[in-house]
Amino acid sequence: MSQAQRQARILEQIQLKGYQSIDELVATLQVTPQTIRRDLNQMADRGELERHHGGAGPVSSTQNAAYQLRQRNATAEKQRIAACIARQIPDQASLFINLGTTNELVAQALLGHRELKIVTNNLIVASILSAKADFSVIIAGGEVRHRDGGIVGEATRDFIHQFKLDYGIIGISGIDEDGSLLDFDYQEVRIAQAIMRNSRAVFLAADHSKFGRRAMVRLGHLQQCTALFTDRTPPAAIKDLLQRENIQLHIAE
């Protein structure tokens, strides 16, 4: 069993059973305690689980990981996802881009395009894309969050509803097995919902750590998306849902 396969099994066990001790994981996976400790530390650094003395448990369903930690997590995977999304966006398109560290990398990947028109509530995305003289970048009004440069609030949502654009690029905190899209911040969710309603095509960007991850606010459902962009094959239940609902799956390997 490879390290990636072993860590996927660890995550599966924790999502199914909650807290798992090192001894329980050793018995399940038939590896040494040192190997399990190393795996748990790496996965905790990526924000995939919460490390506890003697074991690990699922990440909190009420609070997201710190923004600086999310910026460092799965960077290579997010860059591949971003490049994959950018390849699906034609020149001269109009698009929404909402909050999220993956979407900041999408903005970087779009710099090779021509004459895009972008509406965003993400100051970091706006800063990246405004470097292109042939891009038109419109920033939504509202309250700026100091921790990540996100703009949220009722004014932001009302602003988004003034537009109807070709693409909406959405980040997410978790995808439940039933296809529910989950997040932590109610205000942020309201903006994402407005973007989805006002986009002709909705592109969901989610690295593999988002599958089965718990968060307390329901954003919507995979059925509302045109395509899912990720870095690994989704769990069977999600893959079956995508096929059943004819939602495109792009795996950025």
Side-chain angles (χ1 to χ4, degrees), residues 191-215:
I191 308 307
Q193 290 169 339
I195 289 174
M196 293 172 76
R197 283 195 294 270
N198 291 286
S199 301
R200 296 182 178 91
V202 176
F203 286 178
L204 179 66
D207 68 79
H208 68 276
S209 69
K210 308 302 171 59
F211 298 129
R213 188 182 183 204
R214 299 173 183 176

Side-chain angles (χ1 to χ4, degrees), residues 119-120 138-141 154-163:
V119 177
T120 185
I138 301 171
I139 300 177
E154 292 298 316
T156 315
R157 187 185 61 169
D158 292 344
F159 186 87
I160 294 296
H161 280 303
Q162 297 180 69
F163 299 89

Side-chain angles (χ1 to χ4, degrees), residues 66-125:
Y67 173 72
Q68 289 77 12
L69 176 60
R70 287 184 282 126
Q71 275 190 315
R72 298 194 300 269
N73 285 344
T75 303
E77 291 90 338
K78 292 175 181 178
Q79 286 174 334
R80 294 199 299 271
I81 292 168
C84 190
I85 290 174
R87 287 194 291 270
Q88 301 300 315
I89 303 293
D91 291 333
Q92 300 178 320
S94 61
L95 56 152
F96 294 108
I97 303 179
N98 82 330
L99 306 181
T101 54
T102 302
N103 281 352
E104 294 168 14
L105 296 171
V106 171
Q108 292 281 1
L110 288 170
L111 290 175
H113 284 55
R114 294 186 300 105
E115 300 178 22
L116 296 180
K117 296 186 182 299
I118 304 103
V119 177
T120 185
N121 64 321
N122 187 327
L123 285 182
I124 296 173
V125 165

Side-chain angles (χ1 to χ4, degrees), residues 17 21 23 26-28 34 42 71 116 167 171 175 209 247 252:
K17 300 180 180 180
S21 70
D23 289 343
V26 165
T28 299
Q34 291 80 6
Q42 290 175 358
Q71 275 190 315
L116 296 180
Y167 300 93
I175 305 175
S209 69
I247 300 164

Side-chain angles (χ1 to χ4, degrees), residues 119-185:
V119 177
T120 185
N121 64 321
N122 187 327
L123 285 182
I124 296 173
V125 165
S127 177
I128 292 167
L129 293 173
S130 62
K132 282 292 296 294
D134 61 326
F135 283 7
S136 174
V137 181
I138 301 171
I139 300 177
E143 180 182 354
V144 179
R145 295 193 311 209
H146 71 276
R147 68 176 184 266
D148 62 359
I151 304 172
V152 295
E154 292 298 316
T156 315
R157 187 185 61 169
D158 292 344
F159 186 87
I160 294 296
H161 280 303
Q162 297 180 69
F163 299 89
K164 185 73 173 182
L165 304 186
D166 298 327
Y167 300 93
I169 301 174
I170 301 293
I172 195 69
S173 293
I175 305 175
D176 207 351
E177 283 194 355
D178 66 0
S180 296
L181 306 179
L182 306 173
D183 222 309
F184 293 92
D185 188 303

